[in-house]
Amino acid sequence: MNGTEDCTLINWIKTSNDGWKATVSGVEYLIEWHNNRYYLYRGPEREQIDSNKSLLLLKWIAECL
């Protein structure tokens, strides 16, 4: 590495139904709370990627995909 990493800040926006959405590398991600878990979805077709009780973990996963 040359010390000039490209680091882009991901802006997560709270939705009207208490979920979270963000666009990462041109792909929209959505996180929603259902049945005591957060669920991570990708794209307009809402493909489920993962679920977890940790919102921060799912945000990190979306940012690393």
Side-chain angles (χ1 to χ4, degrees), residues 4-5 7-8 11 13 16-18 20 22 25 27-30 32 34 36 43-44 49-50 55-58 60:
T4 58
E5 291 183 45
C7 185
T8 304
N11 186 26
I13 300 168
S16 61
N17 62 351
D18 293 327
W20 293 90
S25 299
V27 179
E28 184 175 290
Y29 290 91
L30 177 66
E32 293 182 337
H34 301 287
N36 295 321
I49 302 299
D50 203 347
L55 174 62
L56 293 177
L57 178 62
L58 289 183
W60 179 80

Side-chain angles (χ1 to χ4, degrees), residues 1-2 14-15 17 25 27 29-31 37 48 56 64:
M1 293 221 181
N2 62 6
K14 192 162 187 155
T15 65
N17 62 351
S25 299
V27 179
Y29 290 91
L30 177 66
I31 299 174
R37 294 183 73 81
Q48 184 179 331
L56 293 177
C64 291

